[in-house]
Amino acid sequence: MTFDIRTMLMTMSLLTLLFSGLLILAGLHVGNARGVQQWALGSLYIGLGLCSAYIQQGPIYNTWLLVFAATLLAGGLGLQLNGIQVFKTGRYNKYIPWLLAGLMFIQNTWFVVIDPDIHARVIANSLLYALGNAACAQALFIRVEQPLRTAYWFTGMSFAIFATLLLTRAITVFNAQPDTYSLYSPAVFNTVSVFIGIMSEMCVTFGFVLMLNSRLAAELQKLALLDPLTGALNRRSLEQEADRLSARCTRTGDTMAVMMIDVDNFKSINDRYGHPVGDAVLIHLAEVAQKTIRRDDYFARYGGEEFCILLPSTSEKDAWILAERLRQTYADMMMKFNGKVLHSTISIGVSDSLHVGVEFTLLIAAADQAMYIAKQKGRNRVMLHSSCLG
């Protein structure tokens, strides 16, 4: 069975253009997904470059169209590298596409227009494309959490295979006899290299779609674990962490503590200033708490104006020190809304596993009882559950 090189290359260009359109549509529906715009534009350039280069038939061709096509391909590859950088970090080097396109333009102007040499052109172009694909692969072979790592490495491997193929192509053409190599000859190497190139380009695009899907799935999972107003953990995710921590404490004998936090007179704040101000108070409290707690603590909105902090490897006394610091920090801060100054305080109840046990529901009930007593005694204070027992 004989494969026509031109037909294969045109198929590759059409598929690339199709993938570019699909990515553009995906970007319209997931506007906050980083890197889609750069990757879609890069795929578009590559598809147009392939169309421009390989629609020409026979020995007569437009030399400047070949230069333009090669330049588009290099610029598209640079944009794909930009897409990877934006996807990873949100930042990119805007000069990379221009650098690759500029180098490709210069060497093709020389080897196509000024001093035509198909061997030198193929070698130079293959090496530059290989360098660009290797840079994309290197940017993706990093340690990230699953399932994003699988998507990164799959795409990176596709780039690496393509880079290896281009390097092999350059070496093969370099070793070939002058005037014996043709871009469109049905030689086995040409057929195999074009076929592998098509499959690699398809895998690269599918890989980016897989990266995008993994990122969106991770963000959805993150949103499912967080309170949308304050950004704190929600009750469900806190209970999951508490179950895991309780099991560890049962196994190791370690301690854990719980704080229940309630905004004093929150209903009065809502009634007097309105619910938007009440929401702003909760957001402010969450910000203060996130800055006060330790790195290994878990801060969550438990319901309404109530928040909960789960503290691993912490006794009631140590939790009281942290709770008192949080209470004081929050009480000392003034909030301004629409030109009005608002002063708010919190009441905190504390319990630990040494006095109550490792069952999370019991810890919550004990801390909630201590918090209720703190409110009865005048609010704006921290109460320990153990002190309430006497």
Side-chain angles (χ1 to χ4, degrees):
M1 183 177 180
T2 304
F3 293 94
D4 179 67
I5 302 297
R6 290 184 183 275
T7 302
M8 295 172 67
L9 290 171
M10 281 303 299
T11 301
M12 181 177 176
S13 67
L14 292 175
L15 285 173
T16 304
L17 290 173
L18 176 61
F19 289 143
S20 174
L22 290 175
L23 287 173
I24 291 173
L25 290 176
L28 294 176
H29 291 284
V30 286
N32 62 337
R34 302 194 305 257
V36 174
Q37 180 181 358
Q38 289 81 2
W39 196 284
L41 190 59
S43 295
L44 178 63
Y45 281 12
I46 290 173
L48 291 176
L50 288 170
C51 285
S52 301
Y54 299 112
I55 59 175
Q56 304 177 87
Q57 301 288 334
I60 300 176
Y61 55 85
N62 188 317
T63 55
W64 285 110
L65 185 58
L66 284 177
V67 173
F68 174 72
T71 304
L72 272 180
L73 288 168
L77 182 58
L79 284 168
Q80 286 187 335
L81 180 55
N82 276 171
I84 294 171
Q85 293 174 334
V86 174
F87 186 87
K88 288 168 52 181
T89 65
R91 300 183 300 273
Y92 66 98
N93 188 336
K94 64 181 180 180
Y95 299 109
I96 288 178
W98 291 102
L99 177 61
L100 287 176
L103 290 173
M104 188 63 70
F105 177 80
I106 292 171
Q107 65 188 33
N108 277 269
T109 299
W110 183 266
F111 292 125
V112 175
V113 180
I114 299 175
D115 184 18
D117 187 338
I118 187 173
H119 276 72
R121 174 163 65 94
V122 170
I123 293 170
N125 288 357
S126 296
L127 290 175
L128 187 56
Y129 287 139
L131 179 63
N133 279 273
C136 291
Q138 189 272 334
L140 289 166
F141 286 134
I142 60 175
R143 290 190 175 275
V144 292
E145 295 182 356
Q146 291 287 17
L148 198 55
R149 185 193 304 175
T150 300
Y152 268 45
W153 287 25
F154 174 82
T155 313
M157 185 60 67
S158 301
F159 274 116
I161 291 173
F162 208 3
T164 303
L165 172 67
L166 290 165
L167 184 59
T168 304
R169 180 172 182 245
I171 295 173
T172 302
V173 175
F174 178 79
N175 292 327
Q177 293 295 325
D179 302 323
T180 61
Y181 178 77
S182 173
L183 286 172
Y184 309 119
S185 68
V188 175
F189 174 75
N190 267 358
T191 304
V192 172
S193 62
V194 170
F195 177 76
I196 295 176
I198 292 174
M199 296 305 297
S200 297
E201 185 64 28
M202 290 177 63
C203 288
V204 160
T205 304
F206 283 134
F208 183 76
V209 172
L210 184 61
M211 288 164 55
L212 180 61
N213 182 69
S214 299
R215 169 68 59 77
L216 292 176
E219 289 181 355
L220 287 174
Q221 184 178 14
K222 182 179 180 180
L223 288 174
L225 297 175
L226 298 180
D227 171 57
L229 177 64
T230 62
L233 296 175
N234 58 29
R235 182 169 177 171
R236 177 186 175 188
S237 55
L238 177 69
E239 290 173 346
Q240 290 175 347
E241 293 295 339
D243 290 341
R244 180 186 60 79
L245 191 58
S246 296
R248 192 184 77 180
C249 290
T250 301
R251 186 173 61 254
T252 63
D254 198 6
T255 59
M256 58 187 287
V258 164
M259 291 185 205
M260 286 298 293
I261 307 165
D262 188 83
V263 179
D264 296 330
N265 301 310
F266 186 71
K267 185 177 184 302
S268 299
I269 294 174
N270 275 335
D271 293 341
R272 182 177 179 181
Y273 298 98
H275 288 282
V277 173
D279 289 343
V281 168
L282 297 179
I283 294 171
H284 177 69
L285 172 56
E287 291 174 350
V288 173
Q290 294 279 22
K291 294 177 181 178
T292 304
I293 64 175
R294 302 165 305 184
R295 185 174 183 179
D296 295 331
D297 297 334
Y298 300 93
F299 174 71
R301 186 180 180 186
Y302 203 69
E305 70 274 21
E306 286 190 343
F307 293 85
C308 179
I309 302 179
L310 179 63
L311 305 103
S313 304
T314 306
S315 66
E316 196 180 57
K317 182 179 178 181
D318 293 331
W320 181 88
I321 296 173
L322 182 62
E324 183 60 26
R325 183 164 68 244
L326 171 58
R327 183 202 63 79
Q328 190 65 54
T329 302
Y330 183 76
D332 289 344
M333 299 183 72
M334 296 292 182
M335 292 170 278
K336 292 183 178 180
F337 303 104
N338 299 324
K340 297 180 180 179
V341 177
L342 173 63
H343 179 254
S344 176
T345 60
I346 54 177
S347 297
I348 305 177
V350 179
S351 65
D352 72 356
S353 57
L354 290 174
H355 296 88
V356 180
V358 297
E359 181 64 38
F360 184 61
T361 55
L362 297 178
L363 284 165
I364 286 289
D368 197 56
Q369 181 185 3
M371 181 185 69
Y372 180 74
I373 295 175
K375 286 184 171 293
Q376 284 184 323
K377 292 190 173 184
R379 300 183 176 88
N380 190 25
R381 64 187 63 216
V382 178
M383 288 295 298
L384 301 179
H385 176 258
S386 59
S387 66
C388 302
L389 299 178

